[in-house]
Amino acid sequence: DDGLFSVFGIGDPTLRADFDAIRSRGLIPSISFFGQVKVPIADPADGLGTGEFDYSTGFSLSLASGRNLLLAEAAWWILGDTPDAELENPASLNASLGRSFAGGRTMASVIFSGCTRIVPDSEPPMQAGAGFNIISGGRGFGVSAMFGLTESASDLSVSAGWTIPID
């Protein structure tokens, strides 16, 4: 067994709540705190989830300048263990640089994502890729494609999601 496999399917959805602590002004970035939960609907036998609830808490920084947006997030995850392995709880870092188009209604971004080790005796997973978002009335829909930079990351992952603000 060389550890290679291919999986296509729907993974676990993530529900997230953000609290805006500081709104951006000039060179001062916006700072938000968040909590999220990953709900186990995917079959762990398919490799798309742990079969357990996963939780994280963290903070994000964002800074806009003209049509450009810089976003960085750091989080600590508490992962459910898979039936086959005990997972380590990682710290994660995500960063993106985006540029808006069409009067701010669309955005294209380059993205980096990495975290500390999840599987004992393996290297930490890291990915880079690109994303595209459509924004309307505070709501957004986005897609991204990420490419693995380390052996422990997926060679390719594609995701889609939407944002619905609740005031």
Side-chain angles (χ1 to χ4, degrees):
D1 179 19
D2 59 9
L4 298 176
F5 62 95
S6 177
V7 176
F8 178 82
I10 296 175
D12 295 339
T14 301
L15 303 173
R16 175 173 162 154
D18 286 73
F19 169 73
D20 295 331
I22 298 174
R23 297 217 184 253
S24 180
R25 281 182 273 142
L27 294 176
I28 299 173
S30 293
I31 300 175
S32 298
F33 297 94
F34 63 85
Q36 56 190 359
V37 60
K38 202 159 67 79
V39 181
I41 66 165
D43 185 349
D46 293 335
L48 294 172
T50 62
E52 302 286 336
F53 282 90
D54 299 332
Y55 308 91
S56 82
T57 186
F59 68 93
S60 63
L61 304 171
S62 63
L63 182 61
S65 176
R67 295 178 17 196
N68 302 310
L69 175 67
L70 175 64
L71 176 65
E73 292 186 341
W76 177 260
W77 283 89
I78 298 172
L79 301 179
D81 294 325
T82 66
D84 300 329
E86 188 171 318
L87 304 177
E88 296 182 16
N89 295 325
S92 65
L93 177 65
N94 300 301
S96 65
L97 179 60
R99 184 161 179 92
S100 66
F101 301 93
R105 293 185 307 271
T106 60
M107 179 170 283
S109 303
V110 293
I111 308 163
F112 170 82
S113 178
C115 67
T116 57
R117 182 179 16 249
I118 297 172
V119 178
D121 301 321
S122 70
E123 62 187 333
M126 288 189 249
Q127 297 179 302
F132 184 77
N133 295 351
I134 298 171
I135 303 126
S136 176
R139 292 176 169 82
F141 175 78
V143 295
S144 65
M146 301 292 285
F147 301 92
L149 301 175
T150 59
E151 289 293 323
S152 60
S154 299
D155 290 333
L156 171 66
S157 61
V158 177
S159 63
W162 63 93
T163 302
I164 302 170
I166 300 172
D167 293 328

